[in-house]
Every structure is written in C-alpha cells, then in structure tokens.
Amino acid sequence: MTTDPIPAATDPVATRPARSPSLALPVAALAGVQALVSCSLFAVPTMAPVVALDVGVDPATLVGVYMAVIFGLGIVSSPVGGDLVLRLGALRVAQICLLGCGVGLGLAATGIWWMFIPAALAIGCAFAPETPASSHLLMRISPPHRRGLVFSLKQTGNQIGGVAGALALPALIPLIGWRGGLLVVGCLCVVAAILLGSLRAVWETPVERQTGTILVRYRRSMALVRADARLRALALASGGYTVMQISLNAFLVSYCVVELGMGLAMAGATLAVAQIGGLIGRVFWGAVGDRITHKRRVLGLLGFAMAVAAVLTVGVTWTFWPLTVLSFLFGLTASGWNGLFLAEVARLAPEGRVGEATGGVLIATFVGLVAGPPVFGLLVQLSGSYAPGFMVAAAFCVAGGVLLMRR
C-alpha cells in the first residue's frame, strides 16, 4: 500500500496553495502519459498505407478492424478503470496503461497480420483507464477554482500526442521502417512508466479495500451515472459531442478533397489547423469554465456552436483560406470541450468515486467513437455526399446541448 500525503478525509485544496508550483509536475506528467497513450492509439493508423502493404491487407480494412477492436474494448475497460484506481492507486494504473500500450505496439511490430488483433486488444484494454485514473488524482490535488483549467491542460496531451505521432512516425519510416517506429513509441511508453514510479511516493492516491468482483464494481459505476440526472445528461451529451469530434478528425480531409476539389496537402493543412484549434480550445474553455459558475451551460453552448460550425462547413462552398479560419473555429469547439467536461464530471461525482463516475460517463463517449465513423460512412455511401453525415452529427450536438442547458 502506498503512502498518501493527503489524509482521505481532508480536502487537499485546504492544504495546498491555489498556485502551488509543485502542481505543475503531476499535471505535466499526466499530460505526458496521455500524449504517449494517444500516440500509441493512432500509431498504426498513421502509418497504415505502408503497414498494410507489408502485411498484405487492405489499409481501410486494417484501420477499421484495428480501431473498432480498440474503441469497443474502451466501452468495457473505461468503467473498470475506476475500480482499478481504487484498488491500485491512480499512478499505478497509469503505469499499467503505459505498459499495456508498449506491449500492444511490440506485438504489432512483429509484422504478422494476425498479431494486430492481440495488439489491438492490449491497447484497447490499456488506453481507456488512463482518463479515470488521471481524473481521480487531479480532483484530489487541484484547487476548485482552477479545476477546469487543470483538467483542460492535462487533456491537451491527447492532441499533442496525436500531432507528434502524425509528424514523427512517417518521418521515421525511411530511417528505421514502420516496425522501428512502433518500437520507438513502445519503448517510450515503457520508459515513461518507469519514470512515473518516482512520483508515486508523493502523489499517489490511497488504495482502498474493495468488495465484490470487478463485474460488480462495473455495474456500480454504471448505476452511479444512471442515478444522477446531471451525470446522465453529461454522459448522453458526450456521446453526441464525440460523434462530431471523430467525424471532424476522420472525414474533414476526405470532404475537402472529394467535394471541394482541394489537393491532399491543402486538405491536410485544414485538419492540422482544426487540431490546433482543439488544442487551444481545451485550455481556453477550461479557463472560461472556471470563471463561469454554470460549467454545464458552457458545455451546452459549445454543443450548439460545434453544430453551427459543422453546418457552415458543408453548407457553403469555401475556398482554402476562409475554410482554414472556419476549421480553426470548428476544432476550437468540437475538439475543445473534453477538459471542461471531465472537470465537471469530477465535480459532480460523490466523494472518493471520481474514477468510477468518470469511467461510467465515458461509456457513452466510447459508444460515440465506435458508432460514429461507420454511421457517417454509411450516410456518405447512401447519399453520395458528406453533408448528411455532418448534419446528423450536428443534430446530436444540439440534442446534447439542450440536455445540458435543461439541467
């Protein structure tokens, strides 16, 4: 059992200065963990054309099956993460997540086509519990009036990892091959897991004796969300918001190339600008939420804003520069809500059950990740246009915004 620097019955905010510089260390560490997990998650899709050529499968099939397995397991592993946090401690769970990603990438680096299935299983079990673990720790150590910003700063790791992987992994292919690229990221995960151990003596959360099986705790996590109308509204809204976020990231480039006639480089630039908007948005909306009492109202308005951005994107024929500006605003809203959302979930969770509440709410989030891309793709196939997919995603966002505003 680890030593807890803050007694369980004591509010850590009362014992820690609001602007304590030491808070930067665990926040940066957790952002780094998320960056590596995110990079691990998208490493194979980033290099899919080259990987698929060596493995002997279709790139779309490889990415589709690989990501479906990962996100499908996220539905199960996210609530279980809340249980593991209480049993093992938040930082130890983060270490396990990093090691799981390292193992998964090592399996994929063998280059054997069927090894991508256990690789996806390993990463699918490892990546989702990281969020409940970090939320559990940040809720304990962050001042209430800065939680939105703190959670949002941590969430920037998701896009930092995605952007870093998108830039670095293709550049490594000529030097060490795609297998070497996967092994580099896997080794970084293992090294980070070892280094994270040095923080456990000071920042680890206390281990609590748990009764019942993990399945029982899984049901408790889901029951916790169902019993609280505010958490339930956040969960449902997050499902719709995630559909929009994954649609933006997965289909914006294709829309620009197919329907607007842009070159691939210009289309990729619009997505990069949207990603930058999301990175800025996570910090910006977290700071805004800290200054406004009703954080769910901010989240509700963000739902309306991202719906408007989606409708404008497909409703007007844009040239490159105006679309770039709109893409920034699209990313600012559709990819910028996550940190404030997690901070609000942590605030509403019963004392000591932040990890469980976060894991339970994220079930709907992962359902959106799993269902969004195939539904969007089906709408494109049936209509011959990307507009219906973005319109349906916008409708989900409006519905989520209404739910949050009502509560």
Side-chain angles (χ1 to χ4, degrees):
M1 182 178 295
T2 56
T3 302
D4 178 25
I6 305 169
T10 302
D11 184 0
V13 175
T15 60
R16 187 178 302 281
R19 296 182 179 274
S20 171
S22 61
L23 185 62
L25 179 60
V27 173
L30 292 175
V33 170
Q34 188 175 50
L36 286 171
V37 170
S38 175
C39 187
S40 302
L41 178 64
F42 292 106
V44 169
T46 297
M47 300 185 290
V50 178
V51 175
L53 184 63
D54 273 5
V55 176
V57 298
D58 178 70
T61 302
L62 172 65
V63 174
V65 174
Y66 184 80
M67 298 305 287
V69 171
I70 290 177
F71 288 139
L73 274 175
I75 299 174
V76 177
S77 61
S78 178
V80 171
D83 173 81
L84 293 177
V85 168
L86 298 177
R87 293 175 183 265
L88 304 176
L91 290 177
R92 180 172 287 176
V93 171
Q95 288 178 294
I96 293 173
C97 291
L98 288 168
L99 292 174
C101 289
V103 169
L105 292 174
L107 293 173
T110 61
I112 305 172
W113 70 266
W114 58 266
M115 290 296 286
F116 284 87
I117 300 299
L121 290 172
I123 295 175
C125 290
F127 91 100
E130 179 273 330
T131 300
S134 59
S135 292
H136 186 75
L137 174 57
L138 291 178
M139 184 63 182
R140 290 177 55 82
I141 66 176
S142 57
H145 65 288
R146 287 289 182 266
R147 278 181 186 148
L149 180 59
V150 168
F151 275 71
S152 296
L153 286 170
K154 178 263 170 185
Q155 281 298 110
T156 60
N158 185 53
Q159 287 178 300
I160 291 172
V163 172
L167 295 174
L169 289 174
L172 287 174
I173 291 176
L175 301 176
I176 56 176
W178 65 267
R179 292 179 179 85
L182 293 181
L183 289 176
V184 166
V185 179
C187 290
L188 288 175
C189 289
V190 173
V191 171
I194 296 172
L195 293 177
L196 202 62
S198 62
L199 299 182
R200 294 187 63 234
V202 177
W203 295 103
E204 183 63 286
T205 58
V207 175
E208 301 177 18
R209 182 178 178 84
Q210 302 299 309
T211 58
T213 64
I214 286 183
L215 181 60
V216 171
R217 303 287 297 177
Y218 181 94
R219 289 199 296 263
R220 284 188 59 186
S221 180
M222 296 180 65
L224 176 63
V225 176
R226 288 197 302 266
D228 190 314
R230 299 166 301 174
L231 289 175
R232 194 165 62 246
L234 282 166
L236 293 173
S238 77
Y241 288 10
T242 302
V243 169
M244 180 63 81
Q245 184 173 347
I246 193 67
S247 298
L248 168 66
N249 293 329
F251 296 103
L252 181 62
V253 170
S254 298
Y255 165 72
C256 291
V257 172
V258 174
E259 296 202 12
L260 299 183
M262 289 185 180
L264 185 59
M266 295 177 68
T270 63
L271 179 59
V273 170
Q275 293 281 11
I276 293 171
L279 182 65
I280 294 173
R282 294 191 180 207
V283 179
F284 177 74
W285 296 120
V288 169
D290 285 336
R291 291 182 173 274
I292 297 177
T293 303
H294 300 288
K295 292 180 174 62
R296 289 193 303 283
R297 183 172 297 170
V298 178
L299 288 167
L301 292 173
L302 278 175
F304 301 145
M306 66 181 80
V308 170
V311 171
L312 288 176
T313 298
V314 296
V316 179
T317 301
W318 298 96
T319 56
F320 175 71
W321 289 112
L323 182 61
T324 300
V325 175
L326 180 61
S327 296
F328 177 83
L329 298 176
F330 200 171
L332 190 74
T333 54
S335 295
W337 55 276
N338 309 72
L340 184 60
F341 162 77
L342 290 173
E344 183 65 0
V345 171
R347 187 185 71 83
L348 295 174
E351 184 177 356
R353 302 186 68 185
V354 174
E356 287 180 274
T358 303
V361 167
L362 288 179
I363 292 175
T365 306
F366 287 114
V367 169
L369 285 172
V370 173
V375 171
F376 194 109
L378 180 62
L379 291 171
V380 173
Q381 184 177 4
L382 293 175
S383 66
S385 170
Y386 286 79
F390 280 110
M391 293 294 186
V392 170
F396 278 120
C397 290
V398 170
V402 169
L403 271 176
L404 294 176
M405 299 293 283
R406 285 181 61 228
R407 301 293 179 184

